[in-house]
Amino acid sequence: MNCGADVIVVSQDQLGKAVAPRVAASMEAGHVSGAIALPDTSNGFIVKTNVFSGKAFANVSVNTSKKVISLLPNSISPESTGGNAEVEEFNPDLGSAGITVKEMKTQGEGVLLPEAELVVSAGRGLKGPENWGMVEDLANTLGAATACSRPVADIGWRPHHEHVGQTGVAIRPNLYIAAGISGAIQHLAGVNGSKTIVVINTDSEAPFFKAADYGIVGDAFEVLPKLNEAMRTFKASQN
Ligand SMILES: Cc1cc2nc3c(=O)[nH]c(=O)nc-3n(C[C@H](O)[C@H](O)[C@H](O)COP(=O)(O)OP(=O)(O)OC[C@H]3O[C@@H](n4cnc5c(N)ncnc54)[C@H](O)[C@@H]3O)c2cc1C
């Protein structure tokens, strides 16, 4: 690949995770994944990244002439700078691929969790799998993916691919609604990059409230249906 660029910035989503290391290898470029800020070029080329599930930062110095940066979603807010860069469509000729796709299996219905911009998640506070209808209803209304805490997946109330956190999927959606989840550090490690966090919990002392942008001290069994109703009314008023 040769487009003349010295620095290539890729979103670290599912596609970016697959593509960026390959592009870096083919260009013999230094690759930094998990970047959370644009490079500091005041003294070399330093990129700040998330390490240890977001518990620490690392400043990575890149010394190669070509560089590929994988930027975590929602780490930088868009800003108007008055630049005049042009957006160009890029249609690479990939030739004959070295990989043959023999079969594609979809994960199921609905929005895929790792790519979702909106996520409705619930934990042990929901008491049992029979109560997940209200989580799914709100997710359907919003066009969101569903997620859960680890014990919920371990007990078998929800599938393991919905488990978010340090040992599950790490997500950074625009909106993360967490109902009946205490906010243990291992859970937060996978969701604290979310742009806006809404927490619903009966316990006003639940640790999750410290990480929340909006907190509702209340019973998820009452709040989730009301939230769903309010969202449906709002959406209907927009049509
Ligand atoms: C090595 C390790 C790795 C781990 N990795 C992960 C991970 O990746 N992801 C993860 O999630 N956990 C992980 N855990 C487990 C984590 O420490 C917590 O135990 C877990 O997140 C708690 O799940 P929870 O919040 O659903 O349940 P609980 O801790 O039982 O909390 C339930 C919450 O629901 C609230 N509640 C109860 N009833 C209601 C109601 N009616 N309405 C509203 N709120 C209500 C309660 O006040 C409480 O805050 C890990 C633990 C270890 C040791």
Side-chain angles (χ1 to χ4, degrees):
M1 178 180 162
N2 187 3
C3 60
D6 290 326
V7 181
I8 296 180
V9 182
V10 178
S11 172
Q12 194 167 325
D13 52 17
Q14 291 297 92
L15 182 62
K17 279 182 199 164
V19 167
R22 289 180 168 89
V23 170
S26 72
M27 293 173 66
E28 297 188 355
H31 175 221
V32 182
S33 66
I36 52 166
L38 290 176
D40 174 1
T41 53
S42 57
N43 183 15
F45 193 98
I46 312 284
V47 186
K48 189 175 186 184
T49 65
N50 251 353
V51 290
F52 301 124
S53 307
K55 288 197 199 74
F57 302 119
N59 287 317
V60 181
S61 172
V62 193
N63 301 321
T64 47
S65 57
K66 307 274 184 194
K67 299 154 182 89
V68 178
I69 314 292
S70 293
L71 193 60
L72 283 174
N74 274 328
S75 40
I76 295 177
S77 301
E79 244 175 66
S80 175
T81 61
N84 58 359
E86 280 180 28
V87 178
E88 283 179 32
E89 203 162 317
F90 179 54
N91 293 311
D93 175 9
L94 296 176
S96 57
I99 297 171
T100 311
V101 179
K102 291 192 170 168
E103 194 184 0
M104 296 271 279
K105 285 189 181 167
T106 50
Q107 196 177 346
E109 298 283 306
V111 184
L112 287 183
L113 180 59
E115 299 293 294
E117 296 202 350
L118 311 173
V119 175
V120 183
S121 185
R124 243 182 338 207
L126 258 71
K127 321 282 190 245
E130 67 281 7
N131 298 321
W132 244 261
M134 53 191 178
V135 177
E136 287 167 341
D137 286 348
L138 178 58
N140 284 338
T141 305
L142 292 172
T146 49
C148 67
S149 65
R150 175 173 158 170
V152 161
D154 285 348
I155 315 163
W157 293 358
R158 298 298 291 177
H160 266 291
H161 64 75
E162 285 197 0
H163 147 208
V164 286
Q166 183 186 325
T167 47
V169 188
I171 54 170
R172 301 172 72 88
N174 286 334
L175 175 67
Y176 183 69
I177 300 178
I181 302 178
S182 56
I185 189 148
Q186 297 89 355
H187 185 85
L188 290 177
V191 303
N192 59 8
S194 308
K195 196 166 177 188
T196 303
I197 297 179
V198 178
V199 170
I200 304 161
N201 200 304
T202 42
D203 176 7
S204 61
E205 300 293 317
F208 220 152
F209 283 121
K210 291 202 175 79
D213 296 286
Y214 299 93
I216 302 172
V217 179
D219 187 339
F221 289 77
E222 289 171 20
V223 177
L224 284 174
K226 279 188 185 158
L227 209 49
N228 186 30
E229 198 47 50
M231 282 313 303
R232 286 164 74 99
T233 309
F234 173 73
K235 284 205 152 184
S237 74
Q238 300 297 298
N239 292 330

